[in-house]
Amino acid sequence: MSQISLDAFTPAEVIEFVGRAGVAKGNMRLDKVFFSAVSAGCLLAFACGTVLSTNTTPWFQENAPGLIRTISALVFPYGLCMIILTGADLCTGSFMFTTVAALQRRLPWYKMLIHWVVTFFGNLAGSLFVVAIIFGYGNVFSADPFKSQVIAFATKKQVTPDFHMIFLRGIGCNWLVCLACFFGIQGRDLTSKIIGIWWPIFAFVSLGFDHVVANMTFIPLAIWVGADKITVGLYIWKGIIPTLIGNILGGGLFCGE
């Protein structure tokens, strides 16, 4: 019986590549890291906008909410595809890359932490740029039914769930996101990389998990269009803190180790 041959790197080879990438990221000049992270924040914000526009289907929201969530989850992964294929820095992916490099003793822990901080604020800057300049002043979501969907989506993410629920969803989210990064490296050709990235991201969006960088678009955009129940303080308390901690554990512990 003939063996099936897969044109892909082995898991051991991928771990080696992940470690090398973590070393390169951790030793990159901080200004380059920041602007690379700004680019990643912008690219993911576009995908978040697509999710919101896809979800703006009142009949489906009333009669088939699971189906419309599945459809929007199918289109969202193009954001991470653009980020990985352009080499931009997403903090949630870096939680795996730099953790692996640090565990392999190729990167000092303090450089890992500095990289996390710089990429986080770069991602935030990029996301807020798109929210304010492209979506906000561009009036992309300023009118109903799109405005109502932005507010409803953010309310379900921030107001309805408890702190611990968001934290646990954050673990599941970045576990899958970092697997997408892993599979993106494992494929040898462009098609394989895109397919490898696509399905774990589809999984986390279809399950309604929380991604700290995606929330940098979803929640500030809701504040921008006038969500009454969502404030900056609430966003920091429930949109950043539990999601960020969960994402760090999901990427660094559950996937990185």
Side-chain angles (χ1 to χ4, degrees):
M1 186 175 179
S2 62
Q3 292 184 339
I4 297 176
S5 177
L6 298 176
D7 187 19
F9 294 109
T10 66
E13 289 174 322
V14 178
I15 289 296
E16 174 63 21
F17 296 148
V18 168
R20 291 180 190 177
V23 172
K25 289 176 181 293
N27 288 308
M28 191 186 303
R29 265 176 38 197
L30 294 183
D31 59 326
K32 289 187 175 182
V33 174
F34 179 78
F35 286 112
S36 177
V38 169
S39 175
C42 291
L43 295 176
L44 196 69
F46 293 138
C48 292
T50 301
V51 165
L52 292 169
S53 64
T54 305
N55 276 335
T56 308
T57 47
W59 187 91
F60 278 96
Q61 291 290 359
E62 290 290 330
N63 299 279
L67 177 60
I68 195 58
R69 178 190 278 186
T70 299
I71 294 172
S72 65
L74 281 170
V75 298
F76 179 78
Y78 82 78
L80 191 65
C81 286
M82 293 192 297
I83 290 168
I84 292 177
L85 297 177
T86 59
D89 282 287
L90 194 68
C91 69
T92 48
S94 292
F95 295 155
M96 176 185 71
F97 287 112
T98 54
T99 298
V100 169
L103 289 171
Q104 293 174 343
R105 298 184 179 180
R106 296 178 176 183
L107 183 72
W109 291 100
Y110 79 91
K111 285 192 174 183
M112 177 194 79
L113 295 174
I114 290 172
H115 187 80
W116 289 7
V117 172
V118 175
T119 53
F120 174 85
F121 283 105
N123 292 161
L124 181 61
S127 300
L128 293 180
F129 172 81
V130 173
V131 166
I133 305 302
I134 308 298
F135 293 162
Y137 289 118
N139 284 343
V140 177
F141 296 98
S142 61
D144 281 328
F146 299 101
K147 177 180 177 180
S148 297
Q149 175 55 33
V150 169
I151 295 173
F153 189 90
T155 300
K156 290 177 184 176
K157 279 195 165 293
Q158 294 289 268
V159 179
T160 306
D162 294 329
F163 186 97
H164 73 279
M165 297 175 184
I166 299 172
F167 164 71
L168 294 172
R169 294 174 190 178
I171 293 176
C173 169
N174 211 34
W175 192 346
L176 290 167
V177 169
C178 289
L179 280 176
C181 295
F182 186 97
F183 295 149
I185 294 173
Q186 192 165 26
R188 292 179 184 269
D189 60 274
L190 184 63
T191 302
S192 298
K193 289 179 179 294
I194 291 174
I195 293 173
I197 295 166
W198 209 272
W199 294 112
I201 303 303
F202 162 76
F204 107 68
V205 178
S206 65
L207 291 168
F209 290 161
D210 279 273
H211 187 268
V212 69
V213 183
N215 282 355
M216 293 174 184
T217 296
F218 292 135
I219 314 308
L221 184 58
I223 295 172
W224 181 279
V225 300
D228 294 332
K229 297 181 180 179
I230 302 175
T231 63
V232 174
L234 179 67
Y235 166 53
I236 294 172
W237 174 240
K238 293 179 72 176
I240 292 179
I241 295 174
T243 314
L244 179 62
I245 297 171
N247 286 172
I248 290 172
L249 290 176
L253 179 64
F254 285 76
C255 201
E257 290 195 2

